[in-house]
Amino acid sequence: MIEEIEVRTRKRCELIDITGSVRKVVAGSGVSDGVCHIFVPHTTAAVTINEKADPNVALDIEATLEKLVPPDRGYLHMEGNSDAHVKSSLVGVSTLVPVQGGNLVLGTWQAVFFCEFDGPRNRRCLVWVSE
Amino acid sequence: MIEEIEVRTRKRCELIDITGSVRKVVAGSGVSDGVCHIFVPHTTAAVTINEKADPNVALDIEATLEKLVPPDRGYLHMEGNSDAHVKSSLVGVSTLVPVQGGNLVLGTWQAVFFCEFDGPRNRRCLVWVSE
Amino acid sequence: MIEEIEVRTRKRCELIDITGSVRKVVAGSGVSDGVCHIFVPHTTAAVTINEKADPNVALDIEATLEKLVPPDRGYLHMEGNSDAHVKSSLVGVSTLVPVQGGNLVLGTWQAVFFCEFDGPRNRRCLVWVSE
């Protein structure tokens, strides 16, 4: 069963920690051992796993992506968000995390982040667990 | 059961929409709810999910990847396609998409693209559905 | 059942072929047809699939990532490894590979690489197979 996480983003480019919501889906799934799948149904957003202990890590990721793929590079797509599409393909819209004993198995420093590249918007993230 | 999608690429760097072929594999799998896995068995190609409504988005992704990782950067690998290997690792050779009610669950603007980085070639893409 | 692969890295930025260890997990799983999942529980490392026939490909990937995301870019995070966090999100900490007839299905030139971006360290990689 696919669960939907709603994410309200506040900036154009922003990483938002959604680990708590993902853990709730895992707990509610009743699956003890398996895979937690995460899928972002947008083309100017993504999902990644990285450090949350120091919030500067997320800020550095946002700033580095902006430097690598700047918004104003002379793109063909006329909506002014081509850079967001490129960032989405670089980071990716899907990921998977192990589930063991009914819990999400993340490393000590890992958290799951929704990546907004063309906000602010109301976004969705699909999460489901397979045995 | 793993199904093989054949892709004929026409340019060196090119994103090709394979959503229709992926949907056929999902329909033929008989799986109602689960995960569609997509895997590219090549080292100079990849798979991504992005917008197809405006074909310029794919062109902007191709052009931006070419700028970020140009073909002529003084690489060690002597076959002249090191940039294609790097692009493959940046975009990734695998992805997953939810399946619900026997259908691929993609966002409104999403399509699945085979990414050619060292074409033109005859390529393959492996697709299978798990419950 | 999740198996743990231990990886001892020797340099700051380094791709290490772990295909043999992944194949052992697949063989030991008893699963004939399914999905091999690979997950790196670190925030300054990643996993990718690329060519191993010519070791220069891995060196070119390492060097290109260093050029794209240099270590000394003026980051906010004070531990001196923000570039490694960014590389981790660009390459990704998870991947999946098809399993058929009890074997990992990789393309002719493909190998699975653990990507170290902030070594040398003792690292772990989680591998498990689902039907």
Side-chain angles (χ1 to χ4, degrees), chain B:
Chain B
M1 218 177 63
I2 301 174
E3 298 289 336
E4 210 168 294
I5 294 175
E6 291 183 12
V7 186
R8 172 81 190 130
T9 63
R10 306 279 169 191
K11 296 193 286 180
R12 183 163 196 274
C13 184
E14 173 180 28
L15 269 66
I16 294 177
D17 181 4
I18 57 168
T19 313
S21 303
V22 176
R23 285 195 192 279
K24 272 183 206 157
V25 174
V26 172
S29 73
V31 175
S32 175
D33 297 288
V35 192
C36 176
H37 300 96
I38 304 170
F39 182 82
V40 169
H42 305 288
T43 58
T44 52
V47 60
T48 195
I49 293 170
N50 218 304
E51 182 186 323
K52 71 167 173 182
D54 178 1
N56 281 336
V57 170
L59 297 177
D60 282 338
I61 293 171
E62 293 163 27
T64 306
L65 286 171
E66 286 290 77
K67 277 190 199 172
L68 282 174
V69 190
D72 54 354
R73 210 173 193 162
Y75 301 101
L76 297 170
H77 181 53
M78 298 300 287
E79 290 180 25
N81 61 356
S82 258
D83 64 300
H85 288 290
V86 177
K87 286 163 186 155
S88 175
S89 279
L90 285 175
V91 176
V93 297
S94 71
T95 193
L96 61 91
V97 184
V99 171
Q100 201 170 35
N103 292 308
L104 205 62
V105 179
L106 288 171
T108 313
W109 305 103
Q110 285 183 319
V112 182
F113 289 91
F114 180 90
C115 306
E116 173 64 84
F117 298 129
D118 190 33
R121 297 204 200 196
N122 292 315
R123 299 289 205 173
R124 296 182 304 133
C125 189
L126 308 182
V127 182
W128 72 104
V129 187
S130 307
E131 275 181 10

Side-chain angles (χ1 to χ4, degrees), chain A residues 7-124:
Chain A
V7 185
R8 170 84 188 127
T9 64
R10 306 278 168 190
K11 296 193 287 179
R12 183 163 195 275
C13 184
E14 173 179 30
L15 269 66
I16 295 178
D17 181 4
I18 57 168
T19 313
S21 303
V22 175
R23 285 196 192 280
K24 271 183 206 160
V25 174
V26 172
S29 73
V31 175
S32 175
D33 297 287
V35 192
C36 176
H37 300 95
I38 305 170
F39 183 82
V40 169
H42 304 288
T43 57
T44 53
V47 60
T48 195
I49 293 169
N50 219 303
E51 182 186 324
K52 70 168 173 182
D54 178 1
N56 280 337
V57 170
L59 297 177
D60 281 338
I61 294 172
E62 293 163 26
T64 307
L65 286 172
E66 287 289 78
K67 277 190 201 172
L68 282 174
V69 188
D72 54 354
R73 209 172 193 163
Y75 300 101
L76 296 171
H77 182 53
M78 297 299 288
E79 291 180 23
N81 61 356
S82 257
D83 65 300
H85 288 289
V86 176
K87 286 163 187 155
S88 175
S89 279
L90 285 175
V91 176
V93 296
S94 71
T95 193
L96 61 92
V97 184
V99 171
Q100 200 168 37
N103 292 308
L104 206 61
V105 179
L106 287 171
T108 312
W109 305 103
Q110 286 183 320
V112 182
F113 289 91
F114 180 90
C115 307
E116 173 63 82
F117 297 129
D118 190 34
R121 296 203 202 196
N122 291 315
R123 299 290 206 172
R124 297 181 302 133

